[in-house]
Amino acid sequence: MANASIKIDTRAIQKQLSDMAKQIPFATATALNSIAFDVMRKENDSMAEIFDNPRPFTQRATQVEKKASKTDLTAVVSLRPAQERYLLPYEEGGQHATSGNAGKLLVPVDGPVDRYGQIPKGMIARLMQRPDVFAGTIKGIEGIWQRPASGNQRNGGKGVKGRLSTLGTKKTGLRLLYAWRENKSVNKSLGFVDRARKIIEASSPQALQAAIQKAIRTAR
């Protein structure tokens, strides 16, 4: 039988494979960023399931701190610093984050609160500028107090409305707006890392497939 020699020109295929190899970092970075933003959205959504009526500020706590690139295949998802300060105990355990007054918690009693049941930002500073409001300890209760309104305040003043405080069986004539309470350990779990791990495991295959398909289209 006569010998035959057949040559196949693979230069076009080699070029396509080379082009695809160049697209792999791009595809990887695209997939990582897609997964990172998926984690961010779902971590933020979970805040409403963990906490009762959380503020929008808390529901925007998670961020994509760093996106991946072709030269740095690392994406970072984290809590924003301002929210991390009070959310970290829910992830790592321990007591509620506090500020001032030797680690005690200032809690509403009969003072103004926002629609989330929390002390509005700047409220204490504004109240403390009033002549009828003071910080002190009355009958062993430490807090922010309001003195009884004068006759003029009752008739035309803009005093904060509310009931007067009763300590034991004796009325003080003072209104307890906010009280300092001893700190205690948090009773909820954020589960940030565990949730992120589950999201990554569930979304990675689809994100990688979508990124590869995009890379193939781009390489043509």
Side-chain angles (χ1 to χ4, degrees), residues 120-211:
K121 184 178 181 180
M123 175 58 69
I124 301 301
R126 292 194 295 272
L127 286 174
M128 293 303 295
Q129 293 176 355
R130 295 169 53 114
D132 61 334
V133 174
F134 68 97
T137 302
I138 307 296
K139 299 288 186 178
I141 298 180
E142 184 181 10
I144 309 296
W145 297 83
Q146 184 181 24
R147 297 182 181 90
S150 65
N152 290 337
Q153 287 176 317
R154 290 193 187 98
N155 294 330
K158 297 182 180 179
V160 182
K161 296 180 180 180
R163 62 185 180 277
L164 298 181
S165 297
T166 301
L167 301 179
T169 60
K170 183 179 178 181
K171 292 185 178 179
T172 66
L174 297 173
R175 177 184 171 202
L176 179 59
L177 304 177
Y178 307 98
W180 290 103
R181 306 296 191 199
E182 292 297 328
N183 202 346
K184 57 183 180 180
S185 297
V186 299
N187 59 1
K188 297 178 184 291
S189 175
L190 190 62
F192 187 92
V193 174
D194 288 341
R195 184 180 302 101
R197 184 179 292 109
K198 291 177 182 178
I199 295 169
I200 292 169
E201 291 174 353
S203 62
S204 291
Q206 183 177 356
L208 287 168
Q209 183 179 11

Side-chain angles (χ1 to χ4, degrees), residues 30-44:
T30 299
L32 287 173
N33 290 331
S34 175
I35 295 167
F37 280 99
D38 190 31
V39 170
M40 181 194 74
R41 287 189 292 269
K42 291 178 179 176
E43 291 282 13
N44 282 336

Side-chain angles (χ1 to χ4, degrees), residues 48-91:
E49 301 172 3
I50 298 169
F51 302 105
D52 298 328
N53 198 23
R55 284 175 171 169
F57 184 72
T58 298
Q59 296 182 68
R60 296 192 297 269
T62 311
Q63 65 176 343
V64 176
E65 181 179 336
K66 175 182 175 298
K67 293 197 295 185
S69 67
K70 291 189 294 183
T71 56
D72 185 359
L73 298 174
T74 304
V76 178
V77 181
S78 65
L79 293 172
R80 300 179 190 275
Q83 291 93 323
E84 182 184 37
R85 187 188 70 81
Y86 63 86
L87 288 176
L88 199 58
Y90 292 95
E91 178 68 16

